Amino acid sequence: MDLSTIIGIVLGLFAVFGGAALEGLHMSALIQPTAAMIVLGGTAAATIVSFPLPILMAAVKDLKKVFMPPKEDPEAVIKNIINYAAKARRNGLISLEQEAQTVKDSFTKKGISLVVDGIDPQKLRETMEIELTSFESHGKHSAEVFESAGGFAPTIGIIGAVLGLIHVMSNLSDPSKLGGGIAVAFVATIYGLMTANIFCIPFGTKLKIRLKEELLQKEMVIEGLIAIQNGENPHFIEQKLRAYLHDGGEKKGK
């Protein structure tokens, strides 16, 4: 579980509701199902209109990356590549064919298969970079979905506020209904801003960081497999791959 995501969400909600409580505002005043329906439903509708269904489904699937870091880190990638290099050095590239059957990551699996097939290193790089570009494109789409939702939410909140004020204006003769209308008007704005700035936009940012981390690992796989194909020493390969981590935080997205 990604603690920064959990801590950030909890802290954001506590700041809003805790600040309201310190001002003496009763929590029931912030719980408005009508405002929630307008903001969440309207934001979802605008986002659905904006993106094709496959991209939306992929974004929902990628949402778990916001809360769960990738299982494989760069250190694990380096370790696996070194193991492949040592095995290829002892038994030849063909010995990696068995590894291709057991590797779970489809990107690495395809790369190993191409190495075993004896493809030219330049062709190997070109083929794998095409895969990398496609992966990056799909990953960006998921982040864009949440960023777009974050852009829509405050505007939908304003729509909710206007609807609430219309309700107020239409019931000026009945003071008992004024409070509810005003509450919906202002709470809808709060919901829109919270949805955008505590959830959607941060989710999009976190997905971009996850994408950078995954791209780094895939770039390391490409370099490692080409080095293996060229018969380079496993120790030298390790040093080459660790150079990616030394650029560090920027490449890793941390």
Side-chain angles (χ1 to χ4, degrees):
M1 185 68 69
D2 189 319
L3 289 180
S4 69
T5 299
I6 302 301
I7 292 172
I9 291 175
V10 172
L11 184 60
L13 294 176
F14 176 78
V16 173
F17 289 98
L22 288 176
E23 287 294 321
L25 184 65
H26 198 281
M27 289 300 100
S28 62
L30 294 178
I31 301 176
Q32 297 288 340
T34 302
M37 182 178 71
I38 292 171
V39 172
L40 298 180
T43 299
T47 306
I48 290 171
V49 170
S50 300
F51 294 90
L53 188 59
I55 291 178
L56 292 169
M57 294 176 65
V60 173
K61 183 179 178 180
D62 285 343
L63 183 60
K64 66 181 180 181
K65 295 180 181 179
V66 174
F67 298 93
M68 301 293 294
K71 294 181 179 179
E72 193 169 36
D73 59 25
E75 290 292 340
V77 171
I78 292 175
K79 182 179 179 181
N80 290 336
I81 293 295
I82 297 308
N83 288 337
Y84 301 152
K87 186 171 184 179
R89 197 173 179 85
R90 287 195 310 268
N91 306 317
L93 293 177
I94 194 67
S95 64
L96 297 180
E97 186 171 11
Q98 185 177 359
E99 298 290 344
Q101 304 303 319
T102 59
V103 173
K104 293 182 180 180
D105 179 59
S106 60
F107 185 84
T108 304
K109 184 174 183 177
K110 180 173 183 176
I112 293 175
S113 298
L114 292 173
V115 169
V116 172
D117 290 341
I119 189 173
D120 178 77
Q122 184 59 35
K123 293 293 183 182
L124 172 62
R125 181 183 295 278
E126 290 175 0
T127 302
M128 298 303 288
E129 286 184 348
I130 290 173
E131 290 280 331
L132 193 65
T133 301
S134 176
F135 177 83
E136 181 178 11
S137 176
H138 284 84
K140 285 181 177 179
H141 286 157
S142 294
E144 288 168 357
V145 167
F146 288 100
E147 288 179 339
S148 294
F152 295 135
T155 304
I156 302 298
I158 293 174
I159 293 175
V162 172
L163 292 175
L165 292 176
I166 291 173
H167 176 71
V168 170
M169 298 300 292
S170 63
N171 289 281
L172 288 177
S173 60
D174 186 356
S176 64
K177 295 183 179 181
L178 297 182
I182 294 173
V184 170
F186 287 104
V187 172
T189 304
I190 293 173
Y191 281 4
L193 293 171
M194 286 176 58
T195 299
N197 295 290
I198 296 180
F199 296 99
C200 294
I201 294 176
F203 284 3
T205 301
K206 183 60 69 74
L207 285 176
K208 285 183 177 179
I209 292 174
R210 293 283 187 253
L211 178 61
K212 289 181 180 179
E213 293 173 345
E214 292 179 289
L215 289 173
L216 171 68
Q217 294 181 29
K218 293 183 185 303
E219 289 171 1
M220 292 169 65
V221 169
I222 294 173
E223 291 298 330
L225 292 178
I226 290 175
I228 291 173
Q229 194 173 35
N230 289 333
E232 296 177 12
N233 184 284
H235 178 71
F236 177 74
I237 295 175
E238 180 179 4
Q239 297 305 312
K240 179 186 291 187
L241 296 183
R242 289 197 177 280
Y244 279 82
L245 307 185
H246 296 157
D247 288 336
E250 199 171 318
K251 272 192 172 180
K252 291 168 69 176
K254 294 183 179 179

